[in-house]
Amino acid sequence: MTPQEFKVYKRFRLVTFCLSVVFAIIIGRAFYLQVITSQKWGQLAERQYHKTIRDESPRGTIFDQNHEPMALSIAVDMVYVEPKQTTSFASDALEKEKRREAAAILATTLSLPLTEMTKKLHSDRNYLLIKRQISPEEGALLRKKIKEKRLPWIGIKQEYRRYYPNADVGAQLLGFTGQEHQGLEGLELKYNDLLLSKGKGLREGTKDNRGRVIGASREKGEESRPGSNLVLTINQKIQFIAEKELAEGLRSSGSKAGCVIVLDPATGKVLALANQPGFNPNALKEYRPGDWRNRALGDTFEPGSTQKIFTVAAALNEKVISPGQLIHCENGSYKVGGKVIRDHAPLGLITITEILKHSSNIGSAKIGKKLERERLYKYLSDFGFGSTTGIDLPGESRGKLHKPGKWYEIDLAAISFGQGLTATPMQTAAAMAVIANHGVLMQPYVVERIIAGDGSETIIAPKALRQVVSAETANIVRNMLMTVTEKGGTGTLAVVPGYRTAGKTGTAQKADAATRKYSVDKRVASFVGFIPAENPKLVILALLDEPKGQVYGGLIAAPIFSRVASQTLQLLGVPPTYPEDRNKILPSAATIAKILEKEGVEEVLALDSHTFEDIVSVDENGAAIPPEPRGPVMPSFIGLSSRQVLEMAQENQLNLKLIGSGRVTEQDPVAGMPIPLGSEIWVRLEPPSDRPILSEKSPK
């Protein structure tokens, strides 16, 4: 081999050796990557090319009995960051600059601290929440900046926010939810597990280098499903009426708070549950926690004279008294157990009916004495006092009814006319429903149907708890309570023209926690009754806490009952029992204001600003029948939204004028009145949060 050939051979061997070494290194590296560290790099690739997407389904909707939504979930955006998201920037310096830019964009767009955003963009966490429920304007601007600046760490996804379309209407009843969509008050709390969406809702998808999901995704874990829907016994229009009239009553009497309850006595269905002061759950931060309280269930008061109903019913059922029996009321002053009981006026020998009609404390105390402790306690317990009603709402109080072994002589007398025990407004309304429902106590409830995500329904049936008094006793007491609203009774302002009204006024002193005595100036005024008295469709309780000036239930609570009952009966289409009274109407707010300046109880009879023929006539058997219409008749628009008004007007081919916005609080002509040819017809709408006193004058 020549020297030249040997040199070539050496070079060939060197090149071959070098290539072999390089090849061995490549093989070794490949073995290391694909065998030894394959799991690590597989996980990295998985994170780089796949994305886990958390799906969220909406919370169930709450409907009223007419399937109008009262609480629903609406789609909103939330912002998050993924600090460990891998990127394809040319250098680390450029990536750091982009992270600072992303932090600045988040801070300025969402009005958040820059230092906090910078810290989160440089975190070692995979996922961090930035802000929930951003506004549509914020979402649009942020999306635009993310696209322009190519910022892979910032993500926007859809979630749901609870929304209450009628603002403060039914707020304490419905309650509200927290940031994590959990129920915190009201129905939202009571039925939280049913309303919440079901399943983890995880999906996996492939993403591009900007973090966007591309192609189809596959399910990972349980599928997310919407929560169950609730259909309530509440009628949203009646709820609006109750809140509107209660707010008027608070303003005119200067009361601190109040509530109105409307029940169907035959079933226990709650048609309305109004509390004032109210709040708007859509703007929760603007209100105090005290405004959230459902006073109709959680607040307890001494029931006062409304308690006399149940003392009389118990005594009649035990036959220790008879309906025509006379009891001497000691001319207004009676000494029991070292204490003096007084009546508001001196009364002598009067009947049991007159004891209720004139609300005699002394007469009620004597009836309680005939029953004695054990029997009175048993009946009051059977009426529901001292225990919760079982209504499907949170926060219900039991009230206070001591065991009879702890009663002194004066306690027996005081409890007989409504002092010395406490009750919630709901307990009192449910007890009154016993008298209206032939002696049977029904359990109040607000959820009528539960509709699951798969469409299956659960229907909640009415529940009769017990027969408290006989039907005969209940009918006797019913007839007695009618006299309370007749001339000379304490509840004449509760009358609804065209209908017989049965009820009872109540005015009770409040206990002063500081002095441990009854307050000299704090009262609770109430009226509870049912209508039409012969065939009750509604039990209504109106209660005002700490009114100023005039404090009697017959003067300030009874008118609320009357106006709620009048509009509700009209809304439900219940014909009047006495159509000849239809030319009489409820006293106006101005008339009531004048009455409140006077002492004592007056019967008020005001003429309507509209005079019209009776729209209901009576057949030979005394049954009410509608006459044949001679022309278009004005329907009831009270409580309707503008959209519903326009739909109804179109159906009835009416050309009417809409004044204001919100829901209808007033209309002209009144419902059921014939519409004269060529006359102007109008409805006035007010926002739910605004509670103006109704005027009887037409708008100019």
Side-chain angles (χ1 to χ4, degrees):
M1 181 180 296
T2 65
Q4 188 66 30
E5 289 175 341
F6 182 73
K7 190 182 288 188
V8 172
Y9 174 73
K10 285 178 66 177
R11 288 178 180 172
F12 175 76
R13 291 284 300 270
L14 180 61
V15 171
T16 302
F17 175 78
C18 291
L19 290 175
S20 299
V21 171
V22 171
F23 185 71
I25 292 172
I26 293 173
I27 294 296
R29 183 62 176 170
F31 179 81
Y32 175 79
L33 293 175
Q34 297 185 29
V35 178
I36 297 177
T37 60
S38 61
Q39 186 175 0
K40 172 188 173 183
W41 293 105
Q43 290 174 349
L44 182 61
E46 184 77 10
R47 189 170 66 187
Q48 200 166 10
Y49 293 106
H50 292 83
K51 187 170 188 175
T52 299
I53 306 153
R54 292 175 175 85
D55 274 346
E56 182 180 347
S57 291
R59 189 176 172 89
T61 301
I62 301 177
F63 298 97
D64 81 337
Q65 63 175 218
N66 296 316
H67 223 73
E68 291 286 336
M70 298 186 74
L72 64 156
S73 295
I74 58 174
V76 292
D77 286 332
M78 66 166 287
V79 181
Y80 62 94
V81 293
E82 295 176 300
K84 293 187 71 175
Q85 177 79 262
T86 55
T87 63
S88 57
F89 292 112
S91 65
D92 291 344
L94 180 59
E95 181 175 330
K96 288 180 180 179
E97 179 62 31
K98 282 290 185 179
R99 285 182 187 271
R100 285 195 294 270
E101 186 177 20
I105 287 173
L106 287 173
T108 55
T109 306
L110 304 179
S111 302
L112 296 172
L114 177 59
T115 53
E116 182 182 340
M117 294 301 100
T118 303
K119 183 178 179 181
K120 288 190 174 184
L121 261 299
H122 290 82
S123 170
D124 60 354
R125 302 281 295 277
N126 289 321
Y127 176 92
L128 286 171
L129 175 65
I130 298 299
K131 188 175 181 179
R132 309 188 74 159
Q133 300 180 11
I134 65 174
S135 68
E137 294 77 16
E138 288 175 330
L141 181 58
L142 190 57
R143 283 187 173 89
K144 180 181 178 182
K145 289 184 177 181
I146 292 172
K147 184 177 180 181
E148 288 177 353
K149 304 297 183 181
R150 297 185 179 181
L151 305 173
W153 309 283
I154 303 176
I156 301 176
K157 76 171 185 177
Q158 179 179 281
E159 63 171 354
Y160 291 91
R161 178 173 70 87
R162 207 60 168 163
Y163 177 66
Y164 302 88
N166 294 292
D168 59 346
V169 176
Q172 288 92 348
L173 165 75
L174 296 169
F176 52 85
T177 61
Q179 283 287 338
E180 298 298 327
H181 312 300
Q182 74 279 20
L184 298 178
E185 291 285 346
L187 284 167
E188 298 278 23
L189 172 60
K190 180 69 176 181
Y191 288 91
N192 183 61
D193 291 343
L194 288 173
L195 290 165
L196 276 176
S197 58
K198 306 298 185 294
K200 296 179 181 178
L202 299 179
R203 288 188 298 118
E204 273 194 349
T206 303
K207 64 180 181 179
D208 63 12
N209 65 334
R210 296 185 186 176
R212 299 173 301 187
V213 177
I214 58 174
S217 61
R218 59 186 177 88
E219 298 294 337
K220 180 183 179 182
E222 188 180 352
E223 181 184 359
S224 178
R225 301 186 306 277
S228 299
N229 296 331
L230 303 181
V231 180
L232 307 184
T233 61
I234 299 293
N235 184 309
Q236 201 164 200
K237 297 173 185 176
I238 300 175
Q239 179 74 26
F240 175 75
I241 291 168
E243 293 192 14
K244 171 174 62 70
E245 297 301 340
L246 175 61
E248 284 188 14
L250 255 67
R251 281 201 301 271
S252 61
S253 66
S255 300
K256 181 179 76 173
C259 67
V260 168
I261 299 170
V262 183
L263 291 177
D264 178 350
T267 62
K269 292 180 180 180
V270 181
L271 303 180
L273 191 61
N275 290 272
Q276 288 289 340
F279 71 98
N280 182 354
N282 297 319
L284 200 59
K285 294 180 180 179
E286 299 177 11
Y287 298 87
R288 299 173 299 175
D291 297 332
W292 308 342
R293 191 169 70 251
N294 192 334
R295 299 173 182 273
L297 304 180
D299 286 8
T300 59
F301 306 93
E302 291 194 350
S305 294
T306 56
Q307 189 71 23
K308 296 169 184 174
I309 303 167
F310 315 115
T311 301
V312 169
L316 287 170
N317 205 61
E318 286 294 303
K319 302 188 185 309
V320 297
I321 60 172
S322 58
Q325 183 174 342
L326 296 173
I327 291 181
H328 200 285
C329 291
E330 309 296 336
N331 296 315
S333 180
Y334 182 54
K335 193 171 184 179
V336 177
K339 303 285 184 178
V340 177
I341 298 173
R342 302 185 187 278
D343 280 336
H344 60 86
L347 298 170
L349 198 63
I350 60 175
T351 65
I352 305 299
T353 299
E354 289 174 314
I355 287 174
L356 287 179
K357 180 175 182 178
H358 299 297
S359 197
S360 169
N361 293 337
I362 296 171
S364 299
K366 288 190 172 185
I367 293 172
K369 179 61 179 173
K370 291 178 181 293
L371 276 169
E372 280 299 347
R373 296 166 175 79
E374 295 292 341
R375 282 192 292 190
L376 180 57
Y377 174 81
K378 174 191 176 297
Y379 275 95
L380 293 181
S381 297
D382 286 348
F383 272 108
F385 297 103
S387 60
T388 59
T389 65
I391 190 171
D392 50 338
L393 282 168
E396 185 179 16
S397 298
R398 300 173 61 90
K400 181 179 66 177
L401 178 62
H402 292 304
K403 297 289 184 181
K406 297 182 178 180
W407 296 6
Y408 293 100
E409 195 70 17
I410 187 60
D411 294 324
L412 173 61
I415 289 171
S416 299
F417 58 78
Q419 290 188 334
L421 78 162
T422 62
T424 66
M426 181 58 74
Q427 285 174 326
T428 304
M432 177 58 104
V434 171
I435 305 301
N437 190 39
H438 311 291
V440 179
L441 176 66
M442 303 298 295
Q443 181 173 292
Y445 66 107
V446 296
V447 174
E448 188 170 25
R449 283 185 294 148
I450 301 171
I451 305 174
D454 59 5
S456 61
E457 290 192 14
T458 301
I459 299 176
I460 312 300
K463 183 179 181 181
L465 298 178
R466 52 188 167 270
Q467 184 86 36
V468 182
V469 296
S470 68
E472 179 185 4
T473 298
N475 290 336
I476 291 171
V477 176
R478 179 190 305 181
N479 291 332
M480 290 179 174
L481 292 176
M482 292 185 198
T483 66
V484 174
T485 61
E486 294 173 353
K487 189 171 183 178
T490 59
T492 54
L493 290 180
V495 169
V496 177
Y499 303 87
R500 293 292 299 276
T501 304
K504 185 71 187 75
T505 58
T507 307
Q509 292 172 287
K510 292 185 70 174
D512 192 323
T515 63
R516 300 181 66 84
K517 295 180 180 179
Y518 285 111
S519 172
V520 296
D521 60 350
K522 294 180 180 180
R523 301 287 191 277
V524 175
S526 62
F527 185 91
V528 61
F530 49 86
I531 191 171
E534 302 90 339
N535 183 23
K537 302 296 183 185
L538 304 170
V539 167
I540 302 174
L541 176 141
L543 181 144
L544 297 172
D545 185 16
E546 296 186 19
K548 307 297 181 185
Q550 190 57 267
V551 298
Y552 296 113
L555 290 179
I556 58 177
I560 298 174
F561 171 97
S562 178
R563 303 189 80 85
V564 171
S566 173
Q567 296 170 71
T568 302
L569 290 169
Q570 186 182 93
L571 184 67
L572 298 179
V574 179
T577 313
Y578 301 96
E580 65 272 14
D581 290 340
R582 288 303 293 271
N583 65 329
K584 304 171 185 177
I585 67 159
L586 312 173
S588 67
T591 305
I592 292 174
K594 291 179 181 178
I595 295 171
L596 297 183
E597 297 174 0
K598 302 178 182 179
E599 291 292 331
V601 179
E602 294 183 28
E603 181 178 26
V604 176
L605 194 64
L607 292 178
D608 194 349
S609 56
H610 306 284
T611 56
F612 55 94
E613 297 181 5
D614 297 331
I615 62 168
V616 178
S617 57
V618 180
D619 62 19
E620 58 185 7
N621 297 319
I625 54 173
E628 291 294 328
R630 294 189 296 251
V633 175
M634 186 70 165
S636 173
F637 293 104
I638 300 297
L640 299 185
S641 65
S642 57
R643 177 179 60 81
Q644 292 169 324
V645 168
L646 293 174
E647 289 176 355
M648 185 179 290
Q650 186 174 8
E651 289 175 6
N652 292 273
Q653 297 182 342
L654 299 177
N655 183 19
L656 55 75
K657 179 181 180 182
L658 274 69
I659 304 168
S661 62
R663 289 187 175 269
V664 178
T665 60
E666 189 181 4
Q667 66 178 61
D668 186 82
V670 296
M673 181 178 176
I675 301 174
L677 183 64
S679 65
E680 181 186 71
I681 60 177
W682 53 266
V683 296
R684 186 189 304 280
L685 302 96
E686 298 288 347
S689 58
D690 194 9
R691 299 285 189 261
I693 295 179
L694 297 182
S695 168
E696 295 190 4
K697 296 181 180 180
S698 302
K700 295 180 181 180

